[in-house]
Amino acid sequence: MSNPIDDQPEYIPDPVKEKQAKAVHFLVSIVRLLGVVLVMLGLAIVLDRLPPVPPLAGYPLIFLGMAQMWAAPVWIIRKYIRARVAEEEMAKAAESTEKQ
Protein backbone atom coordinates (compact mmCIF):
# COMPACT_ATOMS: atom_id res chain seq x y z
CA MET A 1 0.00 0.00 0.00
CA SER A 2 1.38 3.40 -0.99
CA ASN A 3 1.74 6.17 1.57
CA PRO A 4 0.45 9.62 0.37
CA ILE A 5 3.58 11.25 1.75
CA ASP A 6 5.76 9.01 -0.43
CA ASP A 7 3.85 10.15 -3.53
CA GLN A 8 4.81 13.79 -3.03
CA PRO A 9 8.02 15.09 -4.61
CA GLU A 10 10.88 15.95 -2.29
CA TYR A 11 11.08 19.61 -1.30
CA ILE A 12 14.19 21.33 -2.56
CA PRO A 13 14.65 24.82 -1.10
CA ASP A 14 15.42 27.70 -3.43
CA PRO A 15 18.09 29.94 -1.83
CA VAL A 16 16.89 33.07 -3.66
CA LYS A 17 13.28 32.63 -2.56
CA GLU A 18 14.36 31.85 1.00
CA LYS A 19 16.46 35.03 1.06
CA GLN A 20 13.47 37.04 -0.18
CA ALA A 21 11.20 35.47 2.45
CA LYS A 22 13.70 36.27 5.22
CA ALA A 23 13.89 39.88 4.02
CA VAL A 24 10.09 40.19 4.06
CA HIS A 25 9.96 38.66 7.54
CA PHE A 26 12.60 41.12 8.77
CA LEU A 27 10.71 44.05 7.20
CA VAL A 28 7.42 43.01 8.80
CA SER A 29 9.13 42.66 12.19
CA ILE A 30 10.66 46.14 11.93
CA VAL A 31 7.34 47.69 10.83
CA ARG A 32 5.55 46.10 13.79
CA LEU A 33 8.26 47.21 16.21
CA LEU A 34 8.05 50.79 14.94
CA GLY A 35 4.27 50.61 15.33
CA VAL A 36 4.71 49.64 18.98
CA VAL A 37 7.08 52.58 19.45
CA LEU A 38 4.51 54.96 17.92
CA VAL A 39 1.76 53.64 20.19
CA MET A 40 3.99 54.04 23.26
CA LEU A 41 4.94 57.57 22.24
CA GLY A 42 1.29 58.44 21.62
CA LEU A 43 0.29 57.07 25.01
CA ALA A 44 3.07 59.05 26.71
CA ILE A 45 1.80 62.22 25.03
CA VAL A 46 -1.86 61.50 25.88
CA LEU A 47 -0.96 60.83 29.53
CA ASP A 48 0.88 64.19 29.59
CA ARG A 49 4.30 62.66 30.21
CA LEU A 50 5.87 64.92 27.57
CA PRO A 51 5.05 68.42 28.88
CA PRO A 52 5.63 70.66 25.83
CA VAL A 53 3.33 68.56 23.60
CA PRO A 54 -0.48 68.95 23.93
CA PRO A 55 -2.22 65.67 24.88
CA LEU A 56 -4.49 65.69 21.81
CA ALA A 57 -1.44 65.25 19.58
CA GLY A 58 -0.98 61.73 20.94
CA TYR A 59 -4.18 60.25 19.51
CA PRO A 60 -3.09 60.37 15.86
CA LEU A 61 0.18 58.69 16.85
CA ILE A 62 -1.71 55.92 18.61
CA PHE A 63 -3.94 55.45 15.55
CA LEU A 64 -0.95 55.38 13.17
CA GLY A 65 0.92 52.97 15.42
CA MET A 66 -2.04 50.60 15.57
CA ALA A 67 -2.43 50.72 11.79
CA GLN A 68 1.30 50.11 11.40
CA MET A 69 1.16 47.09 13.71
CA TRP A 70 -1.92 45.47 12.16
CA ALA A 71 -2.62 46.69 8.62
CA ALA A 72 0.84 47.37 7.21
CA PRO A 73 2.25 43.84 7.78
CA VAL A 74 -0.79 42.25 6.12
CA TRP A 75 -0.40 44.59 3.13
CA ILE A 76 3.35 43.83 2.84
CA ILE A 77 2.79 40.07 2.99
CA ARG A 78 -0.02 40.21 0.42
CA LYS A 79 2.19 42.19 -1.98
CA TYR A 80 4.96 39.60 -1.53
CA ILE A 81 2.61 36.67 -2.14
CA ARG A 82 1.09 38.32 -5.23
CA ALA A 83 4.57 38.87 -6.64
CA ARG A 84 5.49 35.23 -6.01
CA VAL A 85 2.27 33.94 -7.62
CA ALA A 86 2.78 36.19 -10.65
CA GLU A 87 6.38 34.99 -10.92
CA GLU A 88 5.27 31.34 -10.85
CA GLU A 89 2.54 31.98 -13.44
CA MET A 90 5.07 33.63 -15.75
CA ALA A 91 7.42 30.66 -15.34
CA LYS A 92 4.58 28.22 -16.16
CA ALA A 93 3.61 30.27 -19.22
CA ALA A 94 7.20 30.36 -20.45
CA GLU A 95 7.54 26.62 -19.86
CA SER A 96 4.37 25.86 -21.82
CA THR A 97 5.48 28.00 -24.79
CA GLU A 98 8.85 26.22 -24.86
CA LYS A 99 7.16 22.82 -25.08
CA GLN A 100 5.10 23.80 -28.12
Side-chain angles (χ1 to χ4, degrees), residues 62-77:
I62 293 172
F63 177 74
L64 287 174
M66 295 292 243
Q68 192 168 344
M69 284 189 312
W70 290 330
V74 171
W75 181 76
I76 292 169
I77 291 169

Side-chain angles (χ1 to χ4, degrees), residues 24-64:
V24 169
H25 176 73
F26 180 73
L27 178 66
V28 166
S29 298
I30 293 297
V31 166
R32 283 189 174 141
L33 182 63
L34 291 175
V36 169
V37 170
L38 276 177
V39 168
M40 290 172 56
L41 180 63
L43 285 173
I45 291 171
V46 167
L47 296 174
D48 207 21
R49 302 285 187 206
L50 297 173
V53 182
L56 286 177
Y59 290 108
L61 289 178
I62 293 172
F63 177 74
L64 287 174

Side-chain angles (χ1 to χ4, degrees), residues 91-100:
K92 284 181 186 176
E95 187 177 294
S96 67
T97 57
E98 287 176 0
K99 288 182 180 180
Q100 293 177 356

Side-chain angles (χ1 to χ4, degrees), residues 11-29:
Y11 173 72
I12 301 171
D14 184 1
V16 173
K17 290 180 182 177
E18 285 189 4
K19 188 175 180 180
Q20 290 173 345
K22 285 179 183 180
V24 169
H25 176 73
F26 180 73
L27 178 66
V28 166
S29 298

